[in-house]
Amino acid sequence: MRWSKTHIPTLKEDPQEAEIPSHRLMLRAGLIRRLGGGLYTFLPLGLKALRNVERIVREEMDRAGAIEVLMPALQPREIWEQSGRYELLSNVMFRIRDRQDRDLVLGPTHEEIITDLVAREINSYRQLPKTFYQIQTKFRDEIRPRFGLMRAKEFSMKDAYSFNTSPEDLETSYQAMYQAYVRIFERCGLRTKAVEADSGAMGGSSSHEFMVLADAGEDGIVECDACAYAANLERAERRAVAPADETPDRQPEPIATPGHKTIEDVARFLKAKPTDLIKTLIYTANGQPIAVLVPGDRDLNEHKLARLLPGQTLAMADDAQIEKATGAPVGFAGPVGLSLPIYADVSLQGRRRVITGANRADTHLQGVDLTRDVTFTAFADLAICREGDGCPRCAGTLHEKRGIEVGHVFKLGTKYSECFKATYLDPNGKEQVMIMGCYGIGVTRTLQAVIEQSHDAQGIIWPASIAPYQIAILPLNVSHAESLKTAESLMTTLEAQGFSVILDDRDERPGFKFKDADLLGFPLRVVVSERSLAAGQVEIKRRGVDEKVMVSCAEAAQKIVELLK
Ligand code: ATP
Ligand code: MG
């Protein structure tokens, strides 16, 4: 392809709208353009790279035995009402109405659609297991679309759904997808880390997210420095530690703390450490107030609380509910004398000298012995993990990292198959409910994550597998007939062997062409100059590597093929 025959609008300046390197580079290299918040046009080279990611995803899905389908993005409201997600997902769902006043949804995901389909199409154990997938546009009304393709309102996802006959059968499908994901990200040149993810009420480690470690990542994760344990912060557990030996006071002592409500405030006022204090949070579970206690220097992990109380609707209590439940204004809640179910983080078990709210305005209690003064409903790991916590699996230490979630594999169970009556007849002619898994890859997010992980000050460094063009040929002087002829013949030879080649035929200064080639990150650059041709040679350089090699024109194609392997 000749440069002049396509459209590569590179930018010299960093665009204002971009906050992270990959977003900046996608705009500067002329891969995408913004239409509106979270909405992007793919320009020719961006689209070529995207198609390459899709091709890898498709090949690996097919290899893993998944079957490609394509479902509509536009979906009737009723199917979403059947699963209850018309309400549940109302904050991310784009809703529209047709001319006959029928409500429709722009699909944010496809569990409902595929399960309804399978319920109609499959009815015997002989047709199972099956995994269906599609590569399709999803729509989500994200509160904060940002970072370009990373969090968009319209984006491409590969979503797959497996239909299985037993937990073991599901495990097999799950592992097949997991392994396919490992291969997909490897082939895209991405280093990813599979972390245990929150799987809601399902429990266990039946969900993994594939994370690209990057400062720009929106997800917090922890990683053990001694074993393979890694988890999303939403999910991450920590090793319990025995409480320090504390000498109890004879009884809790009320102490005036006028206007001091936050942990930091109270700690400063009482000259105590935040760890000496207890945070008492009031929630409602199915509308009834409960108290949840965590150490003063820690935050509650709501996902853990949700797992402790499966099936219950949890919400933070509002001011009125807190006052009613504790008899005190907000900021002075404490567990002593509180007649509510009380749940506490496991690290509080055995603490014998702590400071809590007194359930009285402007008052705290000192010298509270949790083993003596409070009756707990249950202790559990409820706090959010952080840097330095002990690994729950070994004696190692957890370290905090940021990650970009590019993929997610998830054991769904029977939630949707029950709802859509996706059943089959087993060998005994008995009706059984299918067990499901779902597996997503953010295709457009993956593309950008590659750039986030692989770039330098000059621009993108594409892996050859997804580069829009694998080879850039730069005739430095396009009015020199022999240069152009050599460049063209090399391009023809390489294209005939299946390589993608761009020939920079612009009448521009060499420095300008070099800059653009670096910015665009083509894996191999071939320079054809009058000087090199005088010696019958061209110069080959790999992107991201300083070394240049001179080869004879006759051997150039062969050398390039070697280098690309
Ligand atoms: P996130 O927590 O980042 O919002 P999610 O849990 O909502 O992701 P899933 O519903 O599991 O994501 O979707 C599967 C994949 O789709 C994700 O792993 C991610 O790579 C991608 N994805 C999700 N939301 C977006 C978005 N707004 N823009 C681009 N890609 C997205
Ligand atoms: Mg989301």
Side-chain angles (χ1 to χ4, degrees), residues 106-154:
L106 283 174
T109 175
H110 278 74
E111 281 83 6
E112 281 75 359
I113 318 302
I114 189 75
T115 314
D116 179 64
L117 178 82
V118 166
R120 294 163 201 278
E121 302 288 328
I122 292 182
N123 44 45
S124 161
Y125 75 96
R126 286 195 188 85
Q127 298 164 289
L128 294 172
K130 284 257 173 7
T131 299
F132 293 103
Y133 82 96
Q134 63 175 348
I135 297 177
Q136 206 247 13
T137 304
K138 300 281 187 274
F139 299 87
R140 292 185 185 180
D141 192 0
E142 300 280 357
I143 322 176
R144 260 194 95 191
R146 58 178 189 159
F147 299 157
L149 306 178
M150 290 287 188
R151 185 164 297 284
K153 287 186 173 166
E154 175 177 337

XYZ file of all heavy atoms in Angstrom, residues 106-154:
416
model
N -30.231 -0.960 23.496
C -28.991 -1.227 22.770
C -28.150 -2.109 23.686
O -27.742 -1.672 24.763
C -28.262 0.077 22.448
C -28.846 0.886 21.281
C -28.125 2.226 21.160
C -28.738 0.113 19.978
N -27.913 -3.344 23.271
C -27.365 -4.352 24.166
C -26.038 -3.993 24.821
O -25.046 -3.758 24.141
N -26.007 -3.975 26.170
C -24.739 -3.791 26.873
C -23.986 -5.117 27.028
O -22.797 -5.138 27.321
C -25.174 -3.267 28.252
C -26.569 -3.771 28.448
C -27.166 -3.980 27.092
N -24.677 -6.235 26.813
C -24.129 -7.589 26.935
C -25.215 -8.524 26.398
O -26.306 -8.063 26.042
C -23.737 -7.901 28.402
O -23.316 -9.260 28.489
C -24.906 -7.702 29.373
N -24.945 -9.834 26.307
C -25.913 -10.684 25.595
C -26.348 -11.967 26.304
O -26.811 -12.892 25.643
C -25.346 -11.038 24.208
C -25.563 -9.966 23.179
N -24.851 -8.786 23.172
C -26.440 -9.867 22.141
C -25.254 -8.034 22.162
N -26.217 -8.657 21.521
N -26.223 -12.051 27.609
C -26.646 -13.282 28.291
C -28.112 -13.615 27.985
O -28.462 -14.759 27.697
C -26.487 -13.159 29.813
C -25.071 -13.346 30.332
C -24.243 -12.070 30.226
O -24.806 -11.022 29.859
O -23.033 -12.130 30.501
N -28.958 -12.619 28.070
C -30.396 -12.833 27.855
C -30.670 -13.366 26.450
O -31.432 -14.316 26.257
C -31.162 -11.520 28.053
C -31.415 -11.105 29.488
C -30.207 -10.553 30.223
O -29.101 -10.483 29.649
O -30.373 -10.187 31.400
N -30.033 -12.705 25.468
C -30.327 -13.020 24.066
C -29.856 -14.438 23.736
O -30.581 -15.223 23.122
C -29.629 -12.007 23.119
C -29.751 -10.583 23.662
C -30.157 -12.125 21.703
C -31.145 -10.070 23.893
N -28.638 -14.782 24.168
C -28.123 -16.111 23.816
C -28.892 -17.200 24.569
O -29.179 -18.262 24.008
C -26.594 -16.220 24.071
C -26.023 -17.519 23.499
C -26.257 -16.170 25.547
C -25.879 -17.519 22.017
N -29.250 -16.954 25.816
C -29.919 -18.004 26.584
C -31.315 -18.263 26.030
O -31.753 -19.410 25.916
C -29.994 -17.635 28.079
O -28.728 -17.149 28.500
C -30.354 -18.843 28.914
N -31.989 -17.192 25.638
C -33.300 -17.335 25.019
C -33.185 -18.136 23.718
O -33.994 -19.014 23.438
C -33.876 -15.933 24.754
C -35.237 -15.993 24.096
O -36.162 -16.515 24.753
O -35.375 -15.545 22.943
N -32.135 -17.849 22.959
C -31.915 -18.564 21.695
C -31.677 -20.051 21.947
O -32.304 -20.916 21.346
C -30.716 -17.953 20.968
C -30.342 -18.637 19.654
C -31.238 -18.129 18.523
C -28.878 -18.368 19.292
N -30.751 -20.319 22.878
C -30.381 -21.710 23.147
C -31.576 -22.482 23.717
O -31.787 -23.659 23.404
C -29.141 -21.762 24.069
C -28.928 -23.152 24.639
C -27.909 -21.319 23.293
N -32.377 -21.807 24.529
C -33.555 -22.467 25.093
C -34.473 -22.965 23.970
O -35.096 -24.019 24.090
C -34.321 -21.496 25.996
N -34.521 -22.235 22.864
C -35.379 -22.637 21.760
C -34.714 -23.656 20.838
O -35.387 -24.446 20.192
C -35.756 -21.407 20.914
C -36.623 -20.418 21.649
C -36.618 -19.058 20.943
N -37.020 -18.022 21.866
C -38.300 -17.746 22.154
N -39.269 -18.409 21.560
N -38.598 -16.816 23.027
N -33.389 -23.604 20.747
C -32.686 -24.394 19.734
C -32.170 -25.737 20.239
O -31.965 -26.648 19.446
C -31.489 -23.587 19.194
C -31.840 -22.252 18.578
C -32.546 -22.386 17.242
O -32.261 -23.352 16.525
O -33.405 -21.522 16.948
N -31.880 -25.809 21.529
C -31.203 -27.009 22.027
C -32.082 -27.694 23.068
O -32.584 -27.046 23.982
C -29.828 -26.631 22.605
C -28.911 -26.182 21.471
C -29.210 -27.795 23.382
C -27.509 -25.827 21.877
N -32.278 -29.004 22.921
C -33.134 -29.665 23.895
C -32.654 -31.037 24.348
O -33.309 -31.689 25.154
C -34.570 -29.750 23.364
C -34.582 -30.177 21.908
O -33.871 -31.112 21.538
N -35.345 -29.467 21.081
N -31.493 -31.481 23.820
C -31.032 -32.811 24.218
C -29.583 -32.756 24.704
O -28.794 -31.949 24.220
C -31.113 -33.771 23.033
O -30.297 -34.895 23.271
N -29.261 -33.654 25.621
C -27.879 -33.751 26.114
C -26.933 -34.044 24.965
O -25.740 -33.749 25.029
C -27.782 -34.836 27.200
C -27.835 -36.241 26.663
C -26.659 -36.962 26.405
C -29.051 -36.856 26.386
C -26.702 -38.244 25.892
C -29.104 -38.125 25.879
C -27.937 -38.838 25.623
O -27.983 -40.090 25.108
N -27.478 -34.624 23.880
C -26.632 -34.967 22.731
C -26.079 -33.710 22.051
O -25.078 -33.769 21.364
C -27.435 -35.756 21.696
C -27.707 -37.180 22.111
C -28.160 -38.009 20.915
N -28.588 -39.319 21.350
C -29.815 -39.575 21.780
N -30.729 -38.626 21.795
N -30.130 -40.796 22.196
N -26.774 -32.584 22.237
C -26.333 -31.329 21.583
C -25.402 -30.517 22.490
O -24.997 -29.416 22.130
C -27.558 -30.473 21.222
C -28.500 -31.146 20.238
C -29.854 -30.441 20.232
O -30.616 -30.526 21.186
N -30.147 -29.731 19.157
N -25.082 -31.052 23.647
C -24.280 -30.305 24.620
C -22.960 -31.017 24.891
O -22.882 -32.228 24.685
C -25.075 -30.149 25.920
C -26.334 -29.281 25.817
C -27.145 -29.358 27.091
C -25.962 -27.831 25.504
N -21.912 -30.345 25.367
C -21.844 -28.902 25.633
C -21.658 -28.107 24.342
O -21.179 -28.641 23.347
C -20.593 -28.780 26.497
C -19.708 -29.882 26.012
C -20.632 -31.028 25.671
N -21.996 -26.827 24.416
C -21.770 -25.921 23.293
C -21.303 -24.574 23.849
O -21.788 -24.103 24.872
C -23.072 -25.691 22.526
C -23.493 -26.856 21.638
C -23.167 -26.543 20.205
C -23.382 -27.680 19.213
N -24.004 -28.896 19.594
N -20.365 -23.977 23.130
C -19.962 -22.608 23.460
C -20.175 -21.753 22.218
O -19.642 -22.071 21.151
C -18.482 -22.556 23.898
O -18.324 -23.356 25.062
C -18.053 -21.122 24.207
N -20.989 -20.727 22.336
C -21.237 -19.812 21.228
C -20.503 -18.504 21.497
O -20.382 -18.085 22.649
C -22.732 -19.519 21.091
C -23.531 -20.717 20.672
C -24.289 -21.422 21.603
C -23.514 -21.154 19.350
C -25.024 -22.538 21.223
C -24.254 -22.269 18.966
C -25.017 -22.961 19.900
N -20.020 -17.886 20.440
C -19.399 -16.576 20.634
C -19.737 -15.649 19.497
O -20.196 -16.081 18.439
C -17.879 -16.711 20.777
C -17.115 -16.826 19.474
C -16.530 -15.706 18.874
C -16.960 -18.058 18.843
C -15.816 -15.814 17.684
C -16.251 -18.174 17.656
C -15.680 -17.044 17.080
O -14.990 -17.157 15.901
N -19.522 -14.377 19.744
C -19.666 -13.370 18.701
C -18.654 -12.262 18.962
O -18.149 -12.105 20.074
C -21.080 -12.790 18.689
C -21.433 -12.070 19.978
C -22.801 -11.379 19.932
O -23.409 -11.237 18.879
N -23.258 -10.929 21.085
N -18.352 -11.515 17.906
C -17.555 -10.297 18.067
C -18.497 -9.188 17.632
O -18.932 -9.161 16.482
C -16.288 -10.326 17.205
C -15.387 -11.475 17.671
C -15.562 -8.974 17.285
C -14.124 -11.656 16.859
N -18.853 -8.338 18.574
C -20.005 -7.482 18.326
C -19.892 -6.181 19.089
O -19.190 -6.084 20.090
C -21.235 -8.281 18.768
C -22.505 -7.913 18.099
C -23.447 -7.294 19.090
O -23.048 -6.937 20.189
N -24.692 -7.166 18.692
N -20.606 -5.179 18.606
C -20.583 -3.863 19.236
C -21.501 -3.836 20.453
O -22.639 -4.279 20.386
C -21.041 -2.801 18.229
O -20.210 -2.893 17.082
C -20.918 -1.411 18.820
N -20.974 -3.345 21.556
C -21.772 -3.206 22.775
C -21.948 -1.720 23.082
O -21.100 -0.900 22.729
C -21.049 -3.855 23.968
C -20.788 -5.342 23.781
C -22.034 -6.154 24.055
C -21.755 -7.635 24.034
N -21.823 -8.221 22.685
N -23.035 -1.431 23.752
C -23.342 -0.039 24.115
C -23.526 0.064 25.616
O -24.314 -0.680 26.199
C -24.623 0.414 23.411
C -24.510 0.371 21.912
C -24.788 -0.795 21.214
C -24.102 1.487 21.206
C -24.668 -0.850 19.825
C -23.983 1.454 19.819
C -24.264 0.284 19.129
N -22.800 0.948 26.245
C -22.977 1.157 27.684
C -22.895 2.644 27.989
O -21.946 3.312 27.568
C -21.913 0.402 28.487
C -22.092 -1.103 28.402
C -21.114 -1.836 29.294
N -21.248 -3.265 29.084
C -20.539 -4.189 29.708
N -19.632 -3.825 30.600
N -20.725 -5.469 29.456
N -23.862 3.105 28.757
C -23.889 4.513 29.122
C -22.985 4.710 30.337
O -23.467 4.924 31.439
C -25.343 4.919 29.414
C -25.504 6.417 29.510
O -24.499 7.135 29.350
O -26.636 6.875 29.760
N -21.680 4.598 30.116
C -20.715 4.722 31.206
C -20.803 6.124 31.814
O -20.940 7.106 31.078
C -19.294 4.497 30.675
C -19.054 3.122 30.044
C -18.820 2.036 31.086
O -18.777 2.352 32.295
O -18.695 0.858 30.672
N -20.711 6.216 33.152
C -20.768 7.543 33.782
C -19.575 8.370 33.332
O -19.681 9.561 33.087
C -20.640 7.505 35.336
C -21.372 6.324 35.944
C -21.078 8.836 35.940
C -21.152 6.229 37.458
N -18.410 7.698 33.297
C -17.192 8.443 32.961
C -16.464 7.776 31.815
O -15.468 7.087 32.022
C -16.267 8.465 34.186
C -16.335 9.770 34.955
C -15.180 9.862 35.935
N -14.057 10.600 35.389
C -12.860 10.633 35.960
N -12.638 9.950 37.063
N -11.903 11.345 35.431
N -16.949 7.992 30.581
C -16.183 7.444 29.463
C -14.845 8.162 29.435
O -14.806 9.382 29.608
C -17.025 7.789 28.233
C -17.972 8.852 28.658
C -18.097 8.787 30.148
N -13.760 7.434 29.293
C -12.463 8.127 29.259
C -11.349 7.249 28.720
O -11.553 6.062 28.465
C -12.091 8.635 30.642
C -12.025 7.545 31.686
C -11.607 8.182 32.981
N -11.327 7.151 33.975
C -10.587 7.337 35.030
N -10.004 8.499 35.225
N -10.398 6.385 35.897
N -10.209 7.852 28.564
C -9.030 7.152 28.056
C -9.278 6.543 26.675
O -8.819 5.444 26.376
C -8.594 6.044 29.034
C -8.215 6.537 30.403
C -8.260 5.674 31.499
C -7.818 7.851 30.611
C -7.899 6.112 32.776
C -7.462 8.304 31.878
C -7.502 7.433 32.958
N -10.021 7.217 25.836
C -10.213 6.736 24.473
C -11.020 5.459 24.426
O -12.137 5.394 24.941
N -10.416 4.411 23.834
C -11.150 3.154 23.675
C -11.242 2.365 24.975
O -11.950 1.374 25.056
C -10.447 2.275 22.633
C -10.184 2.908 21.268
C -9.445 1.905 20.380
C -11.490 3.324 20.602
N -10.495 2.789 25.994
C -10.462 2.017 27.240
C -11.838 1.925 27.888
O -12.260 0.868 28.331
C -9.504 2.667 28.239
C -8.061 2.545 27.857
S -7.482 0.864 28.106
C -5.736 1.093 27.810
N -12.489 3.064 27.985
C -13.838 3.062 28.555
C -14.707 3.909 27.641
O -14.783 5.124 27.787
C -13.847 3.589 29.989
C -15.224 3.471 30.634
C -15.196 3.612 32.127
N -14.431 2.565 32.774
C -14.865 1.308 32.936
N -16.053 0.963 32.525
N -14.104 0.420 33.511
N -15.327 3.251 26.689
C -16.114 3.942 25.686
C -17.593 3.641 25.895
O -17.954 2.776 26.689
C -15.673 3.494 24.297
N -18.432 4.376 25.186
C -19.873 4.109 25.260
C -20.273 3.080 24.216
O -21.269 2.396 24.359
C -20.654 5.403 25.033
C -20.590 6.353 26.212
C -21.507 7.530 25.963
C -21.599 8.414 27.187
N -22.218 9.708 26.830
N -19.521 3.036 23.136
C -19.743 2.036 22.091
C -18.409 1.346 21.881
O -17.415 2.016 21.635
C -20.220 2.736 20.800
C -20.350 1.793 19.639
C -20.894 2.448 18.370
O -21.576 3.487 18.466
O -20.618 1.911 17.293
